[in-house]
Amino acid sequence: VDVGSGRLVTGEWLDGAAETGFGLDALPYGVFSVGGGTPRLGVRIGDRVLDLAPVAEAAGVETLVGMFDRSTLNPFMAQGPQAWADARSRITEWLTSPQHEATIAAHLHLVVDASMQLPIRVADYVDFYSSRHHAENLGAILRPGQPALTPNWLHMPIGYHGRAGTVVVTGTPVVRPAGQRRPSPDAPPVFGPSARLDIEAEVGFVVGTPSSLGAPVPVADALDHVFGVVLVNDWSARDIQAWEYQPLGPFLGKSFATSMSAWVLPLAALDAARVTAPARSEPVLGYLDEPGAGGFDLDLEVELNGHVVSRPQFREMYWTPAQQLAHMTVNGACLRTGDLFASGTVSGPEPDQRGSFIELSWNARDPLTLPDGSTRTFLEDGDEVRITATAPGPNATRIALGEVTATIHPTP
Amino acid sequence: VDVGSGRLVTGEWLDGAAETGFGLDALPYGVFSVGGGTPRLGVRIGDRVLDLAPVAEAAGVETLVGMFDRSTLNPFMAQGPQAWADARSRITEWLTSPQHEATIAAHLHLVVDASMQLPIRVADYVDFYSSRHHAENLGAILRPGQPALTPNWLHMPIGYHGRAGTVVVTGTPVVRPAGQRRPSPDAPPVFGPSARLDIEAEVGFVVGTPSSLGAPVPVADALDHVFGVVLVNDWSARDIQAWEYQPLGPFLGKSFATSMSAWVLPLAALDAARVTAPARSEPVLGYLDEPGAGGFDLDLEVELNGHVVSRPQFREMYWTPAQQLAHMTVNGACLRTGDLFASGTVSGPEPDQRGSFIELSWNARDPLTLPDGSTRTFLEDGDEVRITATAPGPNATRIALGEVTATIHPTP
């Protein structure tokens, strides 16, 4: 480093970058601002973010300037897979070629100095329910004495629409929601702050390429529509949800906030993470048939107040993102750039692989003990939840997804 | 009329306008184009649409030019109730004052010559379930032997999020969705076109003024956020819905299309239509308490292939728009300009006041006979459904909501 100017020398931004999970094999996109300036597109390399528009300008790539000089990823995402691949290849060249040294050095910022914004303008938000372990756990907890899975579960990826307008970026505080709950089935409902505030650790997929109304997207083409991957925390007020959800599903128990990571990892970065999904217990209808490796080998980690409470395994998911997308459009519904669909809670077969506190504490029967001696069933005000994930990269390294973190604030 | 030029003379556009339901007491807004031109904001008067931006320009009201020279109502709707009232008052002046004659005459088009666009960019779409008659009918049909209403129904307006990206404007064909259904509980599901395609005749409310995340909107302030009213047809594939909806609610059975009228009637036009909602059967929690007249006296009419099959009464709705909006935000969820929330199927107490074919045919037990001798349980390809509505205006006339019409196209 030239200490006088603080400028980096060629390639120095790559030193140690791979070890952070944000090396050249990752290159996630985000929207950031520095010093109160206008939000703009950036790509992450190590602990730095590269301001993309001025670099594209200096490199003379006007089409990319038009895509990068924006405050959301949507215009870039709408361009489709070839444009995404071209941009990724150019960014890699910029970061590694001596001829771009001065430009790159001039437009790198430390991530800690950047204010990260919601990276996409969310169109529709759909949340699935695709972990068999999670669905079986919730069935056993909430509908004891009945089959853990509803009869449809092995035949289709069950999902529902959530509230797109309350998707927030990591770091945004989550205010404990108030609402109706019915502590006793023999008494009227009461109103007040949720007493059973929970998380759902999920992986989200962001749609880039839109589709036409009336034209279902086949499984084989589904991932051509997916720009990238994020981590999602689908906050859930279990008491509000339990009272409201019949017969039309979750509503206010979910709609107060859904957090997503600031960094959108291009799907192309996960080529080495493709795995075969778990074997089918029931044959699937043709439109859901997916030969090949539809799963993704992501290792998630859930921390409560700095202490790891769970390590959910995404490779355990029964329904894959391509199946979810094909199902979501099979009735003719169209996709829009910015649609976000999330996996549903990622839970593995082991107790310490569960992605929600209703499972981890078995509906408050088995409280968790934290290192400070305190116990938890559901979340308390002031609690901080952090979800991270890594995946195998192409060069025997690990690549990281951006974290999704938030602190619980009390009901006003 | 000056036959030579085709120009109208002062006030002639008002002749007979009140009788069409679109007189000076209505003045709904829409987005239209003529001759393949750019979509722009218009207001309807009689059988004509007034191109608003050039009139505002000629009148020298630059702030309104900026709101009207757009392809959606959203920027105008975001301005709030005072701006809406000011615009309404200016438009009334333009249409009635001789000094504006030439300008108005130059910027009127026949509605039949206009191509109507989706008038709003839909943010989130929420569908409620607020007709007690409808909920009791569906409970009796779908859950025989159980109480018709779920235990929560009398305590809160039950609702769920729908797909904003498939809200389409009246006139857009509706393609029969394909999907999974399970004709027999003892056999696996099958895939194919829905055999039970239905309508839901509803009234929709469009949010203008946004609200902040974490700040519930009280019932008393709720209607300050509502810009206007539309008619909605929430198309429903009953067989797809029946198989998929446990435990997370309707998804593909609804998400293929939701039709709305092209004209958004300002809420201010319905002052004379305010009525007291039906008496509560159970006391409501404080945040849902609404003194005064929260209901609206709208008479709906449903036509199938030109034949009236139902006349639902909106004044029968148990939960009001203000209660729905207060409920929707009580958990801290914010409103965005362009949010659309619909009432749920409007059904009255009488058999010929039911707003869906599952009710009208009592789940296919009692087919309807049409004037041509054909019978219907659910919709057939080629069927056209038209929903209209009127309300009492301020001057003993009736005012109209714009129709919502669509024809069923076969699954490709």
PDB file of all heavy atoms in Angstrom, chain B residues 135-167:
ATOM      1  N   ALA B 135     -68.640 -16.184   3.433  1.00  0.00           N
ATOM      2  CA  ALA B 135     -67.829 -17.068   4.283  1.00  0.00           C
ATOM      3  C   ALA B 135     -68.677 -18.221   4.820  1.00  0.00           C
ATOM      4  O   ALA B 135     -68.220 -19.369   4.886  1.00  0.00           O
ATOM      5  CB  ALA B 135     -67.202 -16.268   5.429  1.00  0.00           C
ATOM      6  N   GLU B 136     -69.918 -17.927   5.187  1.00  0.00           N
ATOM      7  CA  GLU B 136     -70.799 -18.998   5.685  1.00  0.00           C
ATOM      8  C   GLU B 136     -71.178 -19.977   4.568  1.00  0.00           C
ATOM      9  O   GLU B 136     -71.223 -21.190   4.790  1.00  0.00           O
ATOM     10  CB  GLU B 136     -72.056 -18.390   6.333  1.00  0.00           C
ATOM     11  CG  GLU B 136     -71.735 -17.746   7.672  1.00  0.00           C
ATOM     12  CD  GLU B 136     -72.930 -17.075   8.335  1.00  0.00           C
ATOM     13  OE1 GLU B 136     -73.915 -16.749   7.637  1.00  0.00           O
ATOM     14  OE2 GLU B 136     -72.871 -16.852   9.556  1.00  0.00           O
ATOM     15  N   ASN B 137     -71.412 -19.444   3.378  1.00  0.00           N
ATOM     16  CA  ASN B 137     -71.727 -20.339   2.253  1.00  0.00           C
ATOM     17  C   ASN B 137     -70.543 -21.254   1.948  1.00  0.00           C
ATOM     18  O   ASN B 137     -70.710 -22.465   1.785  1.00  0.00           O
ATOM     19  CB  ASN B 137     -72.086 -19.517   1.003  1.00  0.00           C
ATOM     20  CG  ASN B 137     -73.457 -18.866   1.114  1.00  0.00           C
ATOM     21  OD1 ASN B 137     -74.309 -19.292   1.897  1.00  0.00           O
ATOM     22  ND2 ASN B 137     -73.676 -17.813   0.332  1.00  0.00           N
ATOM     23  N   LEU B 138     -69.344 -20.680   1.875  1.00  0.00           N
ATOM     24  CA  LEU B 138     -68.181 -21.506   1.550  1.00  0.00           C
ATOM     25  C   LEU B 138     -67.868 -22.502   2.661  1.00  0.00           C
ATOM     26  O   LEU B 138     -67.477 -23.648   2.384  1.00  0.00           O
ATOM     27  CB  LEU B 138     -66.951 -20.647   1.216  1.00  0.00           C
ATOM     28  CG  LEU B 138     -66.756 -20.576  -0.310  1.00  0.00           C
ATOM     29  CD1 LEU B 138     -67.881 -19.810  -0.965  1.00  0.00           C
ATOM     30  CD2 LEU B 138     -65.400 -20.049  -0.674  1.00  0.00           C
ATOM     31  N   GLY B 139     -68.049 -22.074   3.903  1.00  0.00           N
ATOM     32  CA  GLY B 139     -67.841 -23.010   5.005  1.00  0.00           C
ATOM     33  C   GLY B 139     -68.796 -24.189   4.914  1.00  0.00           C
ATOM     34  O   GLY B 139     -68.400 -25.350   5.056  1.00  0.00           O
ATOM     35  N   ALA B 140     -70.060 -23.884   4.614  1.00  0.00           N
ATOM     36  CA  ALA B 140     -71.061 -24.954   4.524  1.00  0.00           C
ATOM     37  C   ALA B 140     -70.758 -25.895   3.365  1.00  0.00           C
ATOM     38  O   ALA B 140     -70.936 -27.112   3.468  1.00  0.00           O
ATOM     39  CB  ALA B 140     -72.458 -24.337   4.354  1.00  0.00           C
ATOM     40  N   ILE B 141     -70.272 -25.335   2.241  1.00  0.00           N
ATOM     41  CA  ILE B 141     -69.979 -26.153   1.062  1.00  0.00           C
ATOM     42  C   ILE B 141     -68.703 -26.969   1.250  1.00  0.00           C
ATOM     43  O   ILE B 141     -68.664 -28.164   0.949  1.00  0.00           O
ATOM     44  CB  ILE B 141     -69.850 -25.247  -0.190  1.00  0.00           C
ATOM     45  CG1 ILE B 141     -71.211 -24.666  -0.581  1.00  0.00           C
ATOM     46  CG2 ILE B 141     -69.223 -26.005  -1.365  1.00  0.00           C
ATOM     47  CD1 ILE B 141     -71.146 -23.563  -1.639  1.00  0.00           C
ATOM     48  N   LEU B 142     -67.647 -26.317   1.765  1.00  0.00           N
ATOM     49  CA  LEU B 142     -66.322 -26.952   1.774  1.00  0.00           C
ATOM     50  C   LEU B 142     -66.014 -27.711   3.053  1.00  0.00           C
ATOM     51  O   LEU B 142     -65.178 -28.604   3.063  1.00  0.00           O
ATOM     52  CB  LEU B 142     -65.228 -25.902   1.533  1.00  0.00           C
ATOM     53  CG  LEU B 142     -65.317 -25.141   0.206  1.00  0.00           C
ATOM     54  CD1 LEU B 142     -64.215 -24.090   0.124  1.00  0.00           C
ATOM     55  CD2 LEU B 142     -65.234 -26.102  -0.976  1.00  0.00           C
ATOM     56  N   ARG B 143     -66.642 -27.328   4.156  1.00  0.00           N
ATOM     57  CA  ARG B 143     -66.358 -27.990   5.430  1.00  0.00           C
ATOM     58  C   ARG B 143     -67.664 -28.415   6.090  1.00  0.00           C
ATOM     59  O   ARG B 143     -67.985 -28.001   7.196  1.00  0.00           O
ATOM     60  CB  ARG B 143     -65.568 -27.036   6.360  1.00  0.00           C
ATOM     61  CG  ARG B 143     -64.159 -26.701   5.864  1.00  0.00           C
ATOM     62  CD  ARG B 143     -63.423 -25.713   6.772  1.00  0.00           C
ATOM     63  NE  ARG B 143     -63.994 -24.363   6.690  1.00  0.00           N
ATOM     64  CZ  ARG B 143     -63.659 -23.461   5.761  1.00  0.00           C
ATOM     65  NH1 ARG B 143     -62.767 -23.759   4.855  1.00  0.00           N
ATOM     66  NH2 ARG B 143     -64.218 -22.268   5.743  1.00  0.00           N
ATOM     67  N   PRO B 144     -68.438 -29.255   5.368  1.00  0.00           N
ATOM     68  CA  PRO B 144     -69.749 -29.645   5.913  1.00  0.00           C
ATOM     69  C   PRO B 144     -69.571 -30.352   7.254  1.00  0.00           C
ATOM     70  O   PRO B 144     -68.606 -31.077   7.462  1.00  0.00           O
ATOM     71  CB  PRO B 144     -70.297 -30.603   4.846  1.00  0.00           C
ATOM     72  CG  PRO B 144     -69.109 -31.077   4.084  1.00  0.00           C
ATOM     73  CD  PRO B 144     -68.124 -29.948   4.109  1.00  0.00           C
ATOM     74  N   GLY B 145     -70.508 -30.107   8.150  1.00  0.00           N
ATOM     75  CA  GLY B 145     -70.437 -30.744   9.457  1.00  0.00           C
ATOM     76  C   GLY B 145     -69.610 -29.972  10.456  1.00  0.00           C
ATOM     77  O   GLY B 145     -69.604 -30.298  11.648  1.00  0.00           O
ATOM     78  N   GLN B 146     -68.863 -28.962   9.974  1.00  0.00           N
ATOM     79  CA  GLN B 146     -68.123 -28.106  10.895  1.00  0.00           C
ATOM     80  C   GLN B 146     -68.820 -26.747  10.947  1.00  0.00           C
ATOM     81  O   GLN B 146     -69.613 -26.417  10.078  1.00  0.00           O
ATOM     82  CB  GLN B 146     -66.678 -27.921  10.422  1.00  0.00           C
ATOM     83  CG  GLN B 146     -65.871 -29.215  10.378  1.00  0.00           C
ATOM     84  CD  GLN B 146     -64.471 -28.984   9.806  1.00  0.00           C
ATOM     85  OE1 GLN B 146     -63.800 -28.025  10.143  1.00  0.00           O
ATOM     86  NE2 GLN B 146     -64.055 -29.875   8.915  1.00  0.00           N
ATOM     87  N   PRO B 147     -68.493 -25.925  11.973  1.00  0.00           N
ATOM     88  CA  PRO B 147     -69.081 -24.579  11.998  1.00  0.00           C
ATOM     89  C   PRO B 147     -68.736 -23.851  10.699  1.00  0.00           C
ATOM     90  O   PRO B 147     -67.617 -23.965  10.201  1.00  0.00           O
ATOM     91  CB  PRO B 147     -68.413 -23.916  13.203  1.00  0.00           C
ATOM     92  CG  PRO B 147     -67.958 -25.052  14.076  1.00  0.00           C
ATOM     93  CD  PRO B 147     -67.620 -26.181  13.123  1.00  0.00           C
ATOM     94  N   ALA B 148     -69.708 -23.114  10.145  1.00  0.00           N
ATOM     95  CA  ALA B 148     -69.493 -22.479   8.845  1.00  0.00           C
ATOM     96  C   ALA B 148     -68.381 -21.429   8.906  1.00  0.00           C
ATOM     97  O   ALA B 148     -67.597 -21.294   7.973  1.00  0.00           O
ATOM     98  CB  ALA B 148     -70.792 -21.852   8.353  1.00  0.00           C
ATOM     99  N   LEU B 149     -68.309 -20.695  10.014  1.00  0.00           N
ATOM    100  CA  LEU B 149     -67.254 -19.693  10.180  1.00  0.00           C
ATOM    101  C   LEU B 149     -66.131 -20.269  11.034  1.00  0.00           C
ATOM    102  O   LEU B 149     -66.395 -20.917  12.052  1.00  0.00           O
ATOM    103  CB  LEU B 149     -67.800 -18.434  10.872  1.00  0.00           C
ATOM    104  CG  LEU B 149     -68.843 -17.608  10.122  1.00  0.00           C
ATOM    105  CD1 LEU B 149     -69.278 -16.423  10.995  1.00  0.00           C
ATOM    106  CD2 LEU B 149     -68.301 -17.109   8.788  1.00  0.00           C
ATOM    107  N   THR B 150     -64.874 -20.025  10.627  1.00  0.00           N
ATOM    108  CA  THR B 150     -63.754 -20.387  11.504  1.00  0.00           C
ATOM    109  C   THR B 150     -63.829 -19.502  12.762  1.00  0.00           C
ATOM    110  O   THR B 150     -64.431 -18.422  12.739  1.00  0.00           O
ATOM    111  CB  THR B 150     -62.418 -20.199  10.757  1.00  0.00           C
ATOM    112  OG1 THR B 150     -62.397 -18.894  10.160  1.00  0.00           O
ATOM    113  CG2 THR B 150     -62.260 -21.257   9.662  1.00  0.00           C
ATOM    114  N   PRO B 151     -63.226 -19.951  13.878  1.00  0.00           N
ATOM    115  CA  PRO B 151     -63.391 -19.228  15.160  1.00  0.00           C
ATOM    116  C   PRO B 151     -62.902 -17.780  15.127  1.00  0.00           C
ATOM    117  O   PRO B 151     -63.356 -16.942  15.900  1.00  0.00           O
ATOM    118  CB  PRO B 151     -62.536 -20.046  16.139  1.00  0.00           C
ATOM    119  CG  PRO B 151     -62.365 -21.388  15.520  1.00  0.00           C
ATOM    120  CD  PRO B 151     -62.438 -21.188  14.035  1.00  0.00           C
ATOM    121  N   ASN B 152     -61.948 -17.493  14.214  1.00  0.00           N
ATOM    122  CA  ASN B 152     -61.389 -16.136  14.155  1.00  0.00           C
ATOM    123  C   ASN B 152     -62.260 -15.153  13.370  1.00  0.00           C
ATOM    124  O   ASN B 152     -62.076 -13.944  13.476  1.00  0.00           O
ATOM    125  CB  ASN B 152     -59.984 -16.190  13.532  1.00  0.00           C
ATOM    126  CG  ASN B 152     -59.944 -16.996  12.216  1.00  0.00           C
ATOM    127  OD1 ASN B 152     -60.973 -17.202  11.575  1.00  0.00           O
ATOM    128  ND2 ASN B 152     -58.758 -17.446  11.842  1.00  0.00           N
ATOM    129  N   TRP B 153     -63.207 -15.645  12.581  1.00  0.00           N
ATOM    130  CA  TRP B 153     -63.826 -14.812  11.550  1.00  0.00           C
ATOM    131  C   TRP B 153     -64.528 -13.567  12.104  1.00  0.00           C
ATOM    132  O   TRP B 153     -64.437 -12.479  11.524  1.00  0.00           O
ATOM    133  CB  TRP B 153     -64.802 -15.638  10.697  1.00  0.00           C
ATOM    134  CG  TRP B 153     -65.061 -14.994   9.360  1.00  0.00           C
ATOM    135  CD1 TRP B 153     -64.414 -15.222   8.192  1.00  0.00           C
ATOM    136  CD2 TRP B 153     -66.000 -13.947   9.078  1.00  0.00           C
ATOM    137  NE1 TRP B 153     -64.884 -14.393   7.199  1.00  0.00           N
ATOM    138  CE2 TRP B 153     -65.853 -13.601   7.720  1.00  0.00           C
ATOM    139  CE3 TRP B 153     -66.944 -13.253   9.849  1.00  0.00           C
ATOM    140  CZ2 TRP B 153     -66.621 -12.611   7.105  1.00  0.00           C
ATOM    141  CZ3 TRP B 153     -67.711 -12.262   9.248  1.00  0.00           C
ATOM    142  CH2 TRP B 153     -67.546 -11.956   7.888  1.00  0.00           C
ATOM    143  N   LEU B 154     -65.234 -13.704  13.212  1.00  0.00           N
ATOM    144  CA  LEU B 154     -65.967 -12.554  13.770  1.00  0.00           C
ATOM    145  C   LEU B 154     -65.060 -11.606  14.548  1.00  0.00           C
ATOM    146  O   LEU B 154     -65.508 -10.561  15.029  1.00  0.00           O
ATOM    147  CB  LEU B 154     -67.108 -13.038  14.669  1.00  0.00           C
ATOM    148  CG  LEU B 154     -68.247 -13.778  13.934  1.00  0.00           C
ATOM    149  CD1 LEU B 154     -69.195 -14.434  14.940  1.00  0.00           C
ATOM    150  CD2 LEU B 154     -69.021 -12.809  13.026  1.00  0.00           C
ATOM    151  N   HIS B 155     -63.772 -11.962  14.681  1.00  0.00           N
ATOM    152  CA  HIS B 155     -62.837 -11.146  15.457  1.00  0.00           C
ATOM    153  C   HIS B 155     -61.886 -10.315  14.603  1.00  0.00           C
ATOM    154  O   HIS B 155     -61.245  -9.398  15.113  1.00  0.00           O
ATOM    155  CB  HIS B 155     -62.027 -12.036  16.407  1.00  0.00           C
ATOM    156  CG  HIS B 155     -62.869 -12.703  17.438  1.00  0.00           C
ATOM    157  ND1 HIS B 155     -63.287 -12.048  18.577  1.00  0.00           N
ATOM    158  CD2 HIS B 155     -63.414 -13.941  17.494  1.00  0.00           C
ATOM    159  CE1 HIS B 155     -64.040 -12.865  19.305  1.00  0.00           C
ATOM    160  NE2 HIS B 155     -64.142 -14.019  18.674  1.00  0.00           N
ATOM    161  N   MET B 156     -61.752 -10.647  13.356  1.00  0.00           N
ATOM    162  CA  MET B 156     -60.810  -9.908  12.498  1.00  0.00           C
ATOM    163  C   MET B 156     -61.197 -10.089  11.037  1.00  0.00           C
ATOM    164  O   MET B 156     -61.782 -11.102  10.665  1.00  0.00           O
ATOM    165  CB  MET B 156     -59.386 -10.435  12.700  1.00  0.00           C
ATOM    166  CG  MET B 156     -59.208 -11.888  12.268  1.00  0.00           C
ATOM    167  SD  MET B 156     -57.471 -12.412  12.241  1.00  0.00           S
ATOM    168  CE  MET B 156     -57.151 -12.667  13.970  1.00  0.00           C
ATOM    169  N   PRO B 157     -60.858  -9.095  10.194  1.00  0.00           N
ATOM    170  CA  PRO B 157     -61.034  -9.296   8.764  1.00  0.00           C
ATOM    171  C   PRO B 157     -59.943 -10.244   8.245  1.00  0.00           C
ATOM    172  O   PRO B 157     -58.780  -9.854   8.139  1.00  0.00           O
ATOM    173  CB  PRO B 157     -60.886  -7.897   8.153  1.00  0.00           C
ATOM    174  CG  PRO B 157     -60.417  -6.995   9.241  1.00  0.00           C
ATOM    175  CD  PRO B 157     -60.365  -7.746  10.526  1.00  0.00           C
ATOM    176  N   ILE B 158     -60.330 -11.478   7.946  1.00  0.00           N
ATOM    177  CA  ILE B 158     -59.391 -12.468   7.428  1.00  0.00           C
ATOM    178  C   ILE B 158     -58.958 -12.049   6.016  1.00  0.00           C
ATOM    179  O   ILE B 158     -59.797 -11.635   5.215  1.00  0.00           O
ATOM    180  CB  ILE B 158     -60.066 -13.858   7.370  1.00  0.00           C
ATOM    181  CG1 ILE B 158     -60.467 -14.329   8.770  1.00  0.00           C
ATOM    182  CG2 ILE B 158     -59.182 -14.888   6.671  1.00  0.00           C
ATOM    183  CD1 ILE B 158     -59.327 -14.663   9.676  1.00  0.00           C
ATOM    184  N   GLY B 159     -57.673 -12.157   5.735  1.00  0.00           N
ATOM    185  CA  GLY B 159     -57.178 -11.802   4.411  1.00  0.00           C
ATOM    186  C   GLY B 159     -55.886 -12.523   4.115  1.00  0.00           C
ATOM    187  O   GLY B 159     -55.345 -13.241   4.961  1.00  0.00           O
ATOM    188  N   TYR B 160     -55.395 -12.348   2.905  1.00  0.00           N
ATOM    189  CA  TYR B 160     -54.122 -12.949   2.487  1.00  0.00           C
ATOM    190  C   TYR B 160     -53.559 -12.115   1.355  1.00  0.00           C
ATOM    191  O   TYR B 160     -54.270 -11.329   0.723  1.00  0.00           O
ATOM    192  CB  TYR B 160     -54.322 -14.410   2.034  1.00  0.00           C
ATOM    193  CG  TYR B 160     -55.078 -14.534   0.735  1.00  0.00           C
ATOM    194  CD1 TYR B 160     -54.423 -14.774  -0.458  1.00  0.00           C
ATOM    195  CD2 TYR B 160     -56.463 -14.342   0.698  1.00  0.00           C
ATOM    196  CE1 TYR B 160     -55.117 -14.833  -1.665  1.00  0.00           C
ATOM    197  CE2 TYR B 160     -57.156 -14.396  -0.491  1.00  0.00           C
ATOM    198  CZ  TYR B 160     -56.479 -14.642  -1.661  1.00  0.00           C
ATOM    199  OH  TYR B 160     -57.165 -14.680  -2.844  1.00  0.00           O
ATOM    200  N   HIS B 161     -52.267 -12.283   1.092  1.00  0.00           N
ATOM    201  CA  HIS B 161     -51.637 -11.578  -0.013  1.00  0.00           C
ATOM    202  C   HIS B 161     -51.809 -12.358  -1.311  1.00  0.00           C
ATOM    203  O   HIS B 161     -51.594 -13.568  -1.352  1.00  0.00           O
ATOM    204  CB  HIS B 161     -50.153 -11.361   0.250  1.00  0.00           C
ATOM    205  CG  HIS B 161     -49.877 -10.299   1.269  1.00  0.00           C
ATOM    206  ND1 HIS B 161     -49.768 -10.560   2.609  1.00  0.00           N
ATOM    207  CD2 HIS B 161     -49.724  -8.962   1.137  1.00  0.00           C
ATOM    208  CE1 HIS B 161     -49.555  -9.430   3.257  1.00  0.00           C
ATOM    209  NE2 HIS B 161     -49.519  -8.443   2.396  1.00  0.00           N
ATOM    210  N   GLY B 162     -52.168 -11.646  -2.372  1.00  0.00           N
ATOM    211  CA  GLY B 162     -52.268 -12.238  -3.693  1.00  0.00           C
ATOM    212  C   GLY B 162     -51.100 -11.785  -4.566  1.00  0.00           C
ATOM    213  O   GLY B 162     -50.177 -11.124  -4.089  1.00  0.00           O
ATOM    214  N   ARG B 163     -51.136 -12.167  -5.846  1.00  0.00           N
ATOM    215  CA  ARG B 163     -50.030 -11.861  -6.748  1.00  0.00           C
ATOM    216  C   ARG B 163     -50.277 -10.535  -7.451  1.00  0.00           C
ATOM    217  O   ARG B 163     -51.162 -10.424  -8.319  1.00  0.00           O
ATOM    218  CB  ARG B 163     -49.861 -12.987  -7.772  1.00  0.00           C
ATOM    219  CG  ARG B 163     -48.565 -12.892  -8.573  1.00  0.00           C
ATOM    220  CD  ARG B 163     -48.245 -14.187  -9.287  1.00  0.00           C
ATOM    221  NE  ARG B 163     -46.967 -14.139  -9.963  1.00  0.00           N
ATOM    222  CZ  ARG B 163     -45.773 -14.380  -9.384  1.00  0.00           C
ATOM    223  NH1 ARG B 163     -45.720 -14.700  -8.104  1.00  0.00           N
ATOM    224  NH2 ARG B 163     -44.659 -14.300 -10.068  1.00  0.00           N
ATOM    225  N   ALA B 164     -49.490  -9.525  -7.114  1.00  0.00           N
ATOM    226  CA  ALA B 164     -49.661  -8.192  -7.690  1.00  0.00           C
ATOM    227  C   ALA B 164     -49.338  -8.192  -9.186  1.00  0.00           C
ATOM    228  O   ALA B 164     -49.934  -7.440  -9.958  1.00  0.00           O
ATOM    229  CB  ALA B 164     -48.770  -7.191  -6.962  1.00  0.00           C
ATOM    230  N   GLY B 165     -48.409  -9.061  -9.597  1.00  0.00           N
ATOM    231  CA  GLY B 165     -47.934  -9.044 -10.979  1.00  0.00           C
ATOM    232  C   GLY B 165     -48.919  -9.586 -11.989  1.00  0.00           C
ATOM    233  O   GLY B 165     -48.697  -9.463 -13.194  1.00  0.00           O
ATOM    234  N   THR B 166     -49.997 -10.195 -11.530  1.00  0.00           N
ATOM    235  CA  THR B 166     -50.997 -10.714 -12.469  1.00  0.00           C
ATOM    236  C   THR B 166     -52.336  -9.985 -12.326  1.00  0.00           C
ATOM    237  O   THR B 166     -53.371 -10.508 -12.738  1.00  0.00           O
ATOM    238  CB  THR B 166     -51.192 -12.235 -12.295  1.00  0.00           C
ATOM    239  OG1 THR B 166     -51.453 -12.514 -10.919  1.00  0.00           O
ATOM    240  CG2 THR B 166     -49.951 -13.002 -12.726  1.00  0.00           C
ATOM    241  N   VAL B 167     -52.316  -8.792 -11.747  1.00  0.00           N
ATOM    242  CA  VAL B 167     -53.504  -7.944 -11.787  1.00  0.00           C
ATOM    243  C   VAL B 167     -53.559  -7.338 -13.188  1.00  0.00           C
ATOM    244  O   VAL B 167     -52.587  -6.738 -13.651  1.00  0.00           O
ATOM    245  CB  VAL B 167     -53.450  -6.841 -10.712  1.00  0.00           C
ATOM    246  CG1 VAL B 167     -54.645  -5.900 -10.850  1.00  0.00           C
ATOM    247  CG2 VAL B 167     -53.418  -7.450  -9.309  1.00  0.00           C
TER     248      VAL B 167
END
